[in-house]
């Protein structure tokens, strides 16, 4: 058998060296030429596509097994052997194979197909129930294109383009939309609804130790985890003296109840009750020494009480 390995002139020489019964045979030569082989390109028509489709490899092949080259016209570009849409319209692809030392050039094959506008899809996760006072948060939403989303809001919320903020309580809704452009179809709008509930309030109120009577006011020390003001109810020998201050008016059992009734954004705080006793305060008398002459008569003594009570 003779295997063809390339093109050009080929000479085949046949010999027979003989044996014990035969002389060697005269050689016989034959020459012929090996011409370049023809080749053909197989190129199925690419399927019509949309602008947002992923790049696809072109399906042309040459019967020679040599690599096929492409020329593209229209709204697309080549990325290696993959076709990337760059717009919408008709795309024409010409497949060629220039041949080599063994193959003739293949006849070019041209195929056309269309690229339509891309379908946009908005992916918008559900938003769970929120509580007034929760930190601002990013919306869990995106679209399968590079275009910007627009939002329509109702309820106690605001949006600055990236972050959603809660401004009150009640039902809220957000509709995300994308109107499309020359290369994209409008996206079906997606609406998400959720509720902003009232924030719970907690009062912290330290115990009040029993104390001796004094007319000087003292701070009660209660606080609440909201910006709302605390309210106090007092029973017993004491009275409020300004915000959060208590003034004793006597001795006995005293009860102070701290409350916060809430508002449109806050739940009422559970009241906190503190009890303590106001006890009698000790006092001392200061009496300065002096020398009186006999017969001086009635004189006032320089005695004073630390509690400013009259001395007898």
């Amino acid at each position: 058998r003779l295997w063809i390995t390339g093109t050009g002139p080929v000479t085949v020489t046949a010999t027979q060296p003989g044996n014990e019964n035969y002389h060697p045979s005269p050689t016989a030569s034959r020459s012929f030429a090996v011409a370049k082989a023809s080749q053909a390109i197989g190129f199925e028509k690419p399927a019509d596509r949309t602008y947002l489709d992923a790049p696809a490899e072109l399906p042309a092949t040459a019967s020679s097994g040599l690599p096929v080259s492409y020329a593209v016209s229209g709204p697309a570009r080549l990325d290696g052997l993959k076709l990337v849409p760059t717009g919408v319209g008709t795309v024409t692809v010409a497949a060629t194979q220039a041949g080599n030392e063994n193959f003739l050039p293949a006849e070019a094959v041209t195929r056309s197909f269309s690229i339509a506008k891309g379908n946009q899809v908005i992916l918008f996760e559900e938003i769970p129930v929120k509580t007034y006072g929760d930190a601002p948060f990013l919306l869990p939403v995106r679209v399968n294109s590079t275009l910007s989303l627009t939002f329509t809001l109702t309820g106690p919320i605001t949006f600055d383009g990236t972050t959603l903020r809660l401004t009150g309580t009640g039902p809220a809704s957000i509709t995300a939309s994308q109107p499309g452009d020359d290369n994209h179809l409008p996206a079906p709008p997606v609406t998400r609804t959720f509720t902003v509930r009232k924030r719970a309030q907690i009062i912290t109120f330290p115990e009040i130790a029993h104390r001796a009577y004094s007319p000087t006011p003292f701070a009660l020390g209660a606080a609440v985890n909201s910006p709302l003001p605390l309210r106090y109810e007092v029973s017993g020998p004491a009275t409020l003296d300004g915000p959060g201050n208590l003034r004793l008016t006597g001795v006995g059992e005293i009860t102070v109840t701290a409350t916060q009734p809430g508002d449109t954004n806050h739940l009422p705080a559970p009241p906190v009750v503190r009890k303590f006793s106001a006890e009698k305060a000790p006092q001392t008398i200061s009496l300065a020494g002096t020398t009186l002459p006999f017969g001086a008569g009635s004189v006032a003594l320089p005695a004073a009480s630390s509690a400013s009570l009259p001395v007898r």
Side-chain angles (χ1 to χ4, degrees), residues 39-43 59-70 96-98 106:
Q39 59 173 329
I41 293 175
F43 191 5
T61 58
S63 60
S64 62
L66 297 177
V68 175
S69 298
Y70 298 99
T96 60
Q97 213 309 305

Side-chain angles (χ1 to χ4, degrees), residues 90-275:
T90 300
V91 176
T92 299
V93 180
T96 60
Q97 213 309 305
N100 62 7
E101 66 274 9
N102 294 323
F103 289 92
L104 294 169
E107 183 178 353
V109 179
T110 300
R111 296 288 184 259
S112 296
F113 63 97
S114 64
I115 296 177
K117 286 187 176 185
N119 293 305
Q120 293 191 97
V121 178
I122 295 173
L123 306 175
F124 198 171
E125 297 178 17
E126 296 287 347
I127 301 175
V129 172
K130 296 291 183 179
T131 299
Y132 178 77
D134 285 350
F137 60 95
L138 298 177
L139 281 182
V141 62
R142 61 185 178 88
V143 64
N144 66 330
S145 71
T146 58
L147 302 182
S148 299
L149 288 167
T150 58
F151 298 93
T152 302
L153 281 63
T154 61
I157 51 177
T158 60
F159 187 62
D160 62 9
T162 58
T163 305
L164 194 75
R165 301 178 186 276
L166 308 178
T167 59
T169 59
S173 71
I174 306 171
T175 299
S177 58
Q178 214 310 305
D181 63 4
D182 292 341
N183 296 323
H184 302 80
L185 293 170
V190 179
T191 299
R192 292 289 178 255
T193 59
F194 63 101
T195 299
V196 183
R197 61 191 175 191
K198 290 186 176 184
R199 182 184 181 187
Q201 295 189 95
I202 299 175
I203 294 172
T204 55
F205 194 176
E207 296 286 348
I208 303 174
H210 299 315
R211 57 196 305 123
Y213 170 80
S214 170
T216 302
F218 64 93
L220 291 169
V224 65
N225 64 334
S226 76
L228 302 181
L230 280 172
R231 299 181 183 181
Y232 296 96
E233 298 174 4
V234 179
S235 64
T239 186
L240 291 172
D241 188 336
N245 293 324
L246 192 72
R247 181 189 294 274
L248 302 179
T249 59
V251 297
E253 292 293 324
I254 299 170
T255 300
V256 182
T257 303
T259 64
Q260 213 315 302
D263 62 5
T264 56
N265 297 325
H266 299 81
L267 293 169
V272 179
V273 178
R274 293 292 179 254
K275 296 181 178 182

